Amino acid sequence: MWVCSGSPLVAEICAGAGLDWLLVDAEHSPNGLESILAQLQAVRGYPVQVLVRPPVNDAVLIKQYLDLGVQNLLVPMVHSVTDAEAAVAATRYPPAGVRGVGSALARAARWNRVPDYLTTAASTISVTVQIESTEAVVAVEDILAVDGVDAIFVGPSDLAASMGLLGQQEHDDVQTAVVHCLAAANRAGKPAGVNAFSPATANGYLDAGARFILVGADVALLARGSEALAAAFVPASGDDLPGTGASDGGISDSSTTPSY
């Protein structure tokens, strides 16, 4: 499942749920270096794999994530072989890549307590690249062939948008493109994952060869669960609720327009 709240407590709750893996997201969530570090520490004691998605395929940011101790990266918006090669290079020390050397200062090396970290670090890191555009779907076989790309993950929402089908990730054309990518990954002998909150769609992608899948998000579960409580216990008009008027010290009415 997605872990998007930025909360180490929520991440730990999710880590103890019995799920196989979590995705700590920093592309569409309020996660910075400090909150990612705290979540890595919070989930460390649980038998769950953790992927972390940076907001952009950037060597400097990826370097910081790796130094924090991130070992499984999900790199977004990889549209081409060049993008995939850049993602891999960001995880390798020179001469194999461009990762800056700072292991003496880094949690990843336990502050130089891990013997031979500089020579073994690459073997401890997985790189999953995200296929989420028509350009990437066309190039998927070549992207899969990039040395150091361990897996692909298909993002149907952005893929749908790139196909002119914004908000229609269940569209037949989108699903056909996703299945095409899953099949390409299976032929290449590399795992492929996909995001699918609909149980029917998720099961369909699993049947089509997806090896890992995202089927929920912490913030979505909280939003839908709290809405269900409101629907069950709050009258539609609110008129019959005691203590809701501003005049009697209750909760005052507010505009339906969100304020930030």
Side-chain angles (χ1 to χ4, degrees):
M1 66 178 292
W2 296 80
V3 179
C4 304
S5 68
S7 165
L9 179 62
V10 172
E12 185 173 6
I13 291 170
C14 297
L19 298 163
D20 294 312
W21 70 289
L22 304 176
L23 174 63
V24 176
D25 181 44
E27 185 182 14
H28 295 294
S29 303
N31 272 311
L33 295 175
E34 291 82 0
S35 65
I36 290 170
L37 172 60
Q39 288 171 87
L40 292 175
Q41 293 168 328
V43 305
R44 180 65 181 85
Y46 295 87
V48 63
Q49 296 295 321
V50 180
L51 275 74
V52 180
R53 182 168 73 170
V56 64
N57 184 5
D58 177 80
V60 173
L61 194 56
I62 289 173
K63 170 183 63 180
Q64 292 179 297
Y65 278 37
L66 298 180
D67 284 350
L68 288 180
V70 172
Q71 292 183 298
N72 302 303
L73 279 170
L74 175 60
V75 181
M77 295 293 178
V78 172
H79 306 301
S80 66
V81 167
T82 299
D83 290 343
E85 290 174 340
V88 173
T91 68
R92 271 47 171 175
Y93 289 119
V98 298
R99 180 182 177 185
V101 180
S103 58
L105 310 176
R107 177 177 180 264
R110 296 297 186 265
W111 305 276
N112 267 357
R113 293 170 182 164
V114 176
D116 301 321
Y117 178 79
L118 293 177
T119 58
T120 62
S123 66
T124 70
I125 297 165
S126 75
V127 178
T128 300
V129 299
Q130 195 153 356
I131 306 297
E132 46 188 343
S133 67
T134 53
E135 181 183 357
V137 171
V138 170
V140 67
E141 292 181 342
D142 293 331
I143 291 171
L144 282 159
V146 171
D147 185 28
V149 169
D150 297 296
I152 63 169
F153 186 84
V154 187
S157 294
D158 279 301
L159 178 56
S162 77
M163 298 172 69
L165 298 167
L166 182 64
Q168 301 180 60
Q169 54 265 32
E170 302 286 335
H171 192 282
D172 287 346
D173 291 347
V174 177
Q175 294 195 28
T176 297
V178 173
V179 170
H180 166 77
C181 294
L182 299 179
N186 286 329
R187 289 193 299 270
K190 294 185 178 182
V194 65
N195 184 54
F197 281 13
S198 162
T201 304
N203 285 321
Y205 287 147
L206 289 169
D207 290 342
R211 295 277 299 279
F212 57 107
I213 197 161
L214 286 170
V215 292
D218 56 350
V219 292
L221 291 170
L222 180 58
R224 301 296 84 78
S226 57
E227 289 162 5
L229 288 175
F233 291 100
V234 179
S237 67
D239 293 341
D240 298 328
L241 284 178
T244 58
S247 60
D248 60 12
I251 302 171
S252 63
D253 190 19
S254 63
S255 169
T256 57
T257 302
S259 59
Y260 301 105

